[in-house]
Amino acid sequence: MVELVAPIRNTPRAVIIQDQQVLLLRKAGYENGGERYALPGGAQELGESLHEALKRECHEEIDAQVQIEELVHVAEFFKLRETQPPTRRQYMEFLFLCQVSQTYEPRNGPNPDKHQVEVVWRSISELPALTLFPTYLRSALEHIHSGQSTYLGTFHERATPT
């Protein structure tokens, strides 16, 4: 049995789509040598609203001021952590449709994520070939691109993605 650690982590994320491309963080440097892609965003701090947390995280990670439009997905997942013994952490993820300036050029912000290598635009048609984390993002981005919004339910990460 894998122990669940507290507390639950609220995590707002930015879904930024321009010209059939989505803005993603490319992450690498994992023990298994793999890379993966994630949406900008991160942990809500005590006293912050979800919008404040998302704006702060986008400044830190992608060096951009975002315009937050609407909440399009909520997903709950349990991330397997690389601890001994193994543990899981519960996340509530809030995906917001956001906009950046039309002239925005992808770049790392002043405080990127630990494994963040770069910020990139990727074509929506490329998403099936990319390793996305958390894995529910593939389904979420398909729903968002098709104009649907939904609660995606609960997801358990089985192992650390490549």
Side-chain angles (χ1 to χ4, degrees):
M1 180 93 170
V2 177
E3 178 185 353
L4 187 61
V5 296
I8 296 171
R9 183 174 175 178
N10 287 337
T11 307
R13 298 208 180 272
V15 178
I16 303 168
I17 299 173
Q18 284 184 1
D19 302 321
Q20 298 297 308
Q21 297 185 90
V22 63
L23 192 70
L24 297 169
L25 308 178
R26 185 173 71 86
K27 297 183 173 189
Y30 298 98
E31 287 183 21
N32 62 7
E35 83 174 13
R36 62 188 186 200
Y37 293 84
L39 293 172
Q44 179 184 26
E45 294 178 356
L46 185 63
E48 276 185 322
S49 70
L50 288 172
H51 281 198
E52 290 167 338
L54 185 55
K55 287 180 179 186
R56 176 184 49 76
E57 288 285 341
C58 285
H59 169 69
E60 291 175 358
E61 295 174 354
I62 66 171
D63 195 24
Q65 298 296 319
V66 295
Q67 178 183 336
I68 301 172
E69 295 181 350
E70 64 180 302
L71 176 67
V72 290
H73 279 276
V74 177
E76 178 178 20
F77 84 102
F78 292 81
K79 179 182 178 184
L80 185 62
R81 300 173 73 214
E82 296 177 359
T83 58
Q84 289 302 322
T87 57
R88 285 191 190 275
R89 185 165 200 184
Q90 183 176 3
Y91 289 75
M92 286 299 300
E93 300 233 330
F94 302 88
L95 277 58
F96 290 90
L97 215 53
C98 296
Q99 295 293 321
V100 292
S101 163
Q102 287 291 326
T103 59
Y104 173 76
E105 294 291 329
R107 61 189 168 273
N108 282 343
N111 190 22
D113 279 354
K114 178 180 174 182
H115 293 283
Q116 183 176 327
V117 176
E118 66 179 330
V119 180
V120 296
W121 288 109
R122 287 291 182 253
S123 169
I124 290 173
S125 63
E126 288 180 76
L127 294 179
L130 299 178
T131 300
L132 299 174
F133 186 81
T135 56
Y136 80 83
L137 285 180
R138 186 171 324 296
S139 174
L141 291 171
E142 288 172 7
H143 281 91
I144 292 166
H145 184 62
S146 67
Q148 303 171 19
S149 53
T150 185
Y151 171 65
L152 294 175
T154 303
F155 298 87
H156 292 270
E157 294 295 325
R158 303 232 185 302
T160 303
T162 58

